[in-house]
């Protein structure tokens, strides 16, 4: 089949969504399809919010199948449209509801009319799809609650899944993420003040908060205990996963989160928070990881528990590895392209 | 210039009003033409629509059937069938046509948005509205409701967590995407599926209980509101005409870019004075032919 994968992109920003789209293209090509990736820029602020959806509406896409991945690419019109939804415009939905700082929607009539119209547009565009998949239970639940639409969660292997491997359980917890507000990097820094040596934290990844978090570490006198290497090459990252005691991933209401799955491929337990969203699709407290209350003290207690009981860490990590044993891109491709 | 595609319409003695409405609502590039077995088909005929009292033994394909009362054509399989909404001879899966007027000012307000509208107006977090023949009542579930005149119903239909209504008031509520409770006759008359488009209660006490539960269940309210709104909307002649074309494989010619922009905005339900319409006009105003090839923003914004 000739398949066009559609995705939105914020210029100069590269994250999980872009990786996801490229991995999907690769998986479809491996399955023998001819595939192209079409991206259009997106703006998130209210004043320009509807421009990109309208542009997608007018883009002529000649293909046997289109697979739209994120807001607003699912506004593309095609008689054979499948949506694999990574996220909607969260600032108009859950971010708005939670009063998140990254949402510019306020409790006034202008914002509510914009939000209402976006809801109507989303329902119209998503209802055209032959099938709507989501990438997690959290995204499906949001779609059901905000738009009244059903969807089927469809999980996929994370990047590096083919090279990640278990290793020794070392003396550090690993965090792999962009250092941004919704990932709550300060939480781990504050928690480490309550974790005795020799346990360390390695926080891999860049992001707009990186310098601020580095200053936080310095100011808290945790320089020898918390490392912030910034960007880490893939090969080094694989070894960091392999040697960790556990992986800490405490985002706020995450859509999917590759870190959790990468940790499981490396046989490591994941410590998350009770409000970490889709991470909780995978992390079951005491089974594949530990779910803390989202406070620095609670997170520190979870880290200490695993540091004091490496056998527990191994058991949870092994269960996590078993949990992702059936994930495959071949299955994803088969379901997305099924007639 | 692209020749229009033609839909041959084979009617019996009378042309039902619902059918006339659907044919009038076909996309501009799809022309309905009267046809009979004794005459040659006009050039460009791509599909057929038969009234069930004029359905031959071997219909030309592809075709659809308009169900006429008393002319039972049995199981049609995959053939699209159309009928008046709520008619007794409607079968599951039929495209149901309603001639009820769609309230022009109605906009779908799903539960999350309506909760926000209540919040900014200091209304109760949960609010149930009921339409009766002599007026409306509204209030928080379990509390003594306030009374109001019937002409306040559209406002209530836009704001309430759940509504109880039948007949025209139910239709209005669905146009505003209100999570709705009705009786069995009310659901059947509008061609609605119980538990999918509306909740159905046999008596006032049951309906009040269902509405109170609905007001407290965001997830169910959202599903019901979205489905009820889309189903009611799909019964409008334009909705049926579009779906009929889709099922028959009749594809109108693509619109020119600029009129297509307007068509896209219209199809998404964009209000006339919305910001995105102004931005679209600004973005295309400087393009050669933008105003002369059919796009009339002045009319849209001021009509």
């Amino acid at each position: 089949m000739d398949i066009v994968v559609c995705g939105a992109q914020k210029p100069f920003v590269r994250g999980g969504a872009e990786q996801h789209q490229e991995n999907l293209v690769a998986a479809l090509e491996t399955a023998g399809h001819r595939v192209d990736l079409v991206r259009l820029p997106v703006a998130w602020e209210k004043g320009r919010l509807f421009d990109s959806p309208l542009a997608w509406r007018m883009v002529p896409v000649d293909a046997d199948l289109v697979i739209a991945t994120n807001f607003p690419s699912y506004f593309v019109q095609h008689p054979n449209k499948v949506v694999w939804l990574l996220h909607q415009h969260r600032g108009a939905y859950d971010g708005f509801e939670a009063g998140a700082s990254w949402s510019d929607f306020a409790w006034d009539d202008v914002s509510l009319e914009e939000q209402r119209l976006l809801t109507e547009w989303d329902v119209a565009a998503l209802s055209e799809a032959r099938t709507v998949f989501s990438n997690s239970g959290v995204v499906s639940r949001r779609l059901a609650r905000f738009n009244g639409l059903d969807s089927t969660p469809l999980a996929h292997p994370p990047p590096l899944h083919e090279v990640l491997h278990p290793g020794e359980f070392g003396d550090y917890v690993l965090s792999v993420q962009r250092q941004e507000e919704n990932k709550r990097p300060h939480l781990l820094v504050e928690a480490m003040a309550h974790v005795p040596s020799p346990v360390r934290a390695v926080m891999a990844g860049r992001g707009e908060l990186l310098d601020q978090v580095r200053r936080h570490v310095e100011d808290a006198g945790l320089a020898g205990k918390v490392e912030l290497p910034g960007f880490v090459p893939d090969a080094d990252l694989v070894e960091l996963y392999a040697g960790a005691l556990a992986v800490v991933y405490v985002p706020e209401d995450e859509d999917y989160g590759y870190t959790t799955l990468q940790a499981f491929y490396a046989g490591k337990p994941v410590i998350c928070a009770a409000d970490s969203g889709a991470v909780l699709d995978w992390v079951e407290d005491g089974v594949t990881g530990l779910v803390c209350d989202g406070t620095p003290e609670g997170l520190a207690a979870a880290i200490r528990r695993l540091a004091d009981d490496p056998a527990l860490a191994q058991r949870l990590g092994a269960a996590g590895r078993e949990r992702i044993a059936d994930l495959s891109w071949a299955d994803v491709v088969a379901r997305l392209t099924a007639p | 210039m692209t020749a229009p595609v033609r839909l041959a319409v084979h009617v019996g003695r009378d042309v039902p009003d619902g059918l006339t409405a659907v044919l009038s609502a076909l996309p501009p590039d799809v022309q309905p033409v009267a046809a009979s077995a004794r005459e040659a088909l006009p050039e460009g005929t791509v599909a057929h629509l038969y009234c069930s009292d004029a359905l031959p033994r071997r219909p030309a394909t592809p075709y659809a059937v308009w169900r006429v009362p008393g002319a039972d054509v049995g199981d049609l399989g995959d053939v699209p069938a159309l009928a008046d909404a709520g008619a007794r001879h409607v079968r599951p899966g039929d495209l149901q046509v309603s001639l009820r007027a769609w309230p022009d000012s109605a906009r779908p307000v799903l539960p999350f948005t309506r909760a926000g509208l209540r919040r900014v107006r200091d209304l109760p977090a949960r609010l149930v509205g009921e339409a009766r023949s002599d007026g409306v009542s509204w209030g928080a579930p379990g509390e003594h409701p306030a009374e109001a005149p019937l002409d306040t119903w559209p406002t209530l239909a836009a704001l309430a967590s759940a509504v109880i209504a039948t007949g025209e008031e139910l239709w209005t509520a669905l146009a505003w995407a209100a999570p709705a409770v009705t009786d069995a006759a009310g659901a059947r008359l509008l061609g609605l599926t119980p538990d999918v488009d509306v909740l159905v209660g046999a008596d006032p006490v049951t309906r009040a209980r269902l509405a109170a539960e609905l007001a407290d269940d965001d997830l169910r309210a959202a599903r019901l509101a979205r489905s009820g709104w889309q189903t009611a909307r799909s019964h409008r002649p334009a909705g049926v005409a579009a779906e009929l074309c889709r099922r028959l494989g009749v594809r109108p010619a693509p619109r020119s870019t600029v009129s297509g922009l307007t068509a896209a905005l219209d199809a998404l339900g964009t209000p006339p004075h919305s910001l995105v319409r102004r931005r679209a006009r600004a973005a295309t105003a400087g393009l050669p032919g933008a105003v002369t090839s059919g796009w009339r923003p002045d009319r849209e914004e001021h009509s």
Side-chain angles (χ1 to χ4, degrees), chain B residues 23-105:
Chain B
L23 297 178
S24 302
L26 286 169
D29 298 322
V30 180
Q31 281 186 355
V33 289
S36 79
R38 287 187 291 276
E39 294 170 16
L41 289 169
E43 194 181 339
T45 299
V46 296
H48 301 260
L49 175 59
Y50 295 91
C51 276
S52 54
D53 61 352
L55 183 65
R57 237 180 177 177
R58 289 186 186 159
T61 56
Y63 73 101
V65 173
W66 176 277
R67 291 188 197 278
V68 174
D72 187 5
V73 289
D75 182 14
L76 288 166
D78 292 336
V79 172
L82 299 83
D84 285 316
R88 295 208 174 272
H89 56 279
V90 165
R91 303 272 182 96
D94 281 0
L95 299 176
Q96 299 189 45
V97 183
S98 174
L99 296 178
R100 291 173 190 271
W102 191 259
D104 283 342
S105 60

Side-chain angles (χ1 to χ4, degrees), chain A residues 7 36 47 85 103 112 114 116 118 129 166 171 183 194-195 234 239 286 326:
Chain A
D36 230 332
L85 187 63
S103 168
L112 284 165
E114 297 280 296
R116 186 207 65 76
L118 185 65
D171 65 353
K183 307 289 186 186
H194 305 282
V195 175
D234 286 351
E239 295 314 312
D326 291 335

Side-chain angles (χ1 to χ4, degrees), chain A residues 51 109 115-116 127 148 150, chain B residues 108 113 121 223 226 230 279:
Chain A
D51 295 3
D109 279 343
Q115 198 280 334
R116 186 207 65 76
S127 295
D150 290 327
Chain B
T113 318
R121 283 160 179 75
R223 284 201 167 107
R226 192 270 308 157
Q230 283 189 315
R279 288 182 64 79

Side-chain angles (χ1 to χ4, degrees), chain A residues 203-207 210 214 228-234 236-237:
Chain A
M203 301 177 66
R206 291 174 292 199
L210 180 57
R214 280 178 170 152
L228 282 147
F231 172 75
V232 175
D234 286 351
D236 297 347
L237 193 61

Side-chain angles (χ1 to χ4, degrees), chain B residues 7 9 11 15 17-27 30-33 49 237 241 244:
Chain B
L7 175 67
V9 185
V11 291
V15 183
D17 290 344
L19 176 56
T20 303
V22 171
L23 297 178
S24 302
L26 286 169
V30 180
Q31 281 186 355
V33 289
L49 175 59
L244 176 67

Side-chain angles (χ1 to χ4, degrees), chain A:
Chain A
M1 270 198 286
D2 282 357
I3 302 174
V4 168
V5 173
C6 301
Q9 191 181 12
K10 184 91 177 161
F12 313 113
V13 173
R14 185 174 163 75
E18 288 73 24
Q19 273 185 39
H20 178 100
Q21 289 149 5
E22 286 154 18
N23 291 338
L24 173 59
V25 168
L28 290 163
E29 284 174 340
T30 301
H33 300 290
R34 195 165 69 145
V35 192
D36 230 332
L37 176 59
V38 175
R39 283 181 176 139
L40 291 181
V42 62
W44 302 108
E45 68 272 19
K46 281 208 306 284
R48 297 191 296 165
L49 184 58
F50 292 88
D51 295 3
S52 190
L54 184 57
W56 275 108
R57 215 63 191 155
M58 305 307 299
V59 169
V61 178
D62 296 324
D64 300 317
L65 170 69
V66 299
I67 301 174
T69 57
N70 55 355
F71 172 84
S73 67
Y74 49 77
F75 280 88
V76 67
Q77 295 195 82
H78 193 277
N80 193 18
K81 175 166 80 173
V82 169
V83 175
W84 188 16
L85 187 63
L86 308 184
H87 59 77
Q88 297 172 263
H89 175 46
R90 296 186 58 189
Y93 294 109
D94 55 296
F96 178 22
E97 183 178 43
S101 58
W102 41 269
S103 168
D104 63 350
F105 282 74
W107 295 106
D108 57 52
D109 279 343
V110 172
S111 283
L112 284 165
E113 171 54 17
E114 297 280 296
Q115 198 280 334
R116 186 207 65 76
L117 185 59
L118 185 65
T119 306
E120 182 177 0
W121 278 37
D122 273 352
V123 167
L126 291 164
S127 295
E128 297 164 350
R130 186 160 55 75
T131 316
V132 179
F133 294 101
S134 71
N135 67 335
S136 69
V138 164
V139 173
S140 281
R141 285 191 288 279
R142 285 188 204 134
L143 196 55
R145 199 162 76 79
F146 293 115
N147 302 84
L149 290 168
D150 290 327
S151 58
T152 306
L154 176 58
H156 63 284
L160 303 177
H161 71 279
E162 67 283 5
V163 292
L164 285 161
H165 59 84
E168 296 297 317
F169 282 73
D171 65 353
Y172 63 91
V173 292
L174 176 66
S175 153
V176 181
Q177 62 186 25
R178 288 186 62 77
Q179 312 303 342
E180 287 172 353
E181 201 70 50
N182 66 322
K183 307 289 186 186
R184 301 191 288 207
H186 293 289
L187 193 53
L188 179 54
V189 177
E190 288 169 29
M192 289 310 292
H194 305 282
V195 175
S197 295
V199 180
R200 300 173 290 127
V202 178
M203 301 177 66
R206 291 174 292 199
E208 59 193 26
L209 296 185
L210 180 57
D211 290 340
Q212 191 187 107
V213 178
R214 280 178 170 152
R215 280 197 300 277
H216 184 179
V217 168
E218 289 291 329
D219 294 347
L222 294 168
K225 213 166 171 183
V226 179
E227 298 166 29
L228 282 147
F231 172 75
V232 175
D234 286 351
D236 297 347
L237 193 61
V238 167
E239 295 314 312
L240 275 174
Y241 270 116
L245 168 68
V247 170
V248 172
Y249 193 47
V250 287
E252 183 182 3
D253 203 15
E254 179 61 77
D255 297 330
Y256 191 58
Y258 284 140
T259 303
T260 311
L261 298 181
Q262 288 179 328
F264 285 180
Y265 273 92
K268 303 300 174 184
V270 173
I271 302 172
C272 70
D275 61 353
S276 288
V279 180
L280 296 160
D281 288 358
W282 302 95
V283 180
E284 196 177 341
D285 190 39
V287 179
T288 55
L290 298 175
V291 181
C292 75
D293 61 5
T295 63
E297 296 77 13
L299 176 56
I303 295 169
R304 285 199 306 268
R305 190 174 160 197
L306 293 180
D308 293 344
D309 188 356
L312 174 64
Q314 287 182 30
R315 201 163 61 246
L316 302 181
R321 195 163 158 79
E322 202 176 307
R323 179 88 169 70
I324 45 82
D326 291 335
L327 286 184
S328 85
W329 274 106
D331 175 57
V332 167
V333 167
R335 294 179 70 183
L336 290 174
T337 58

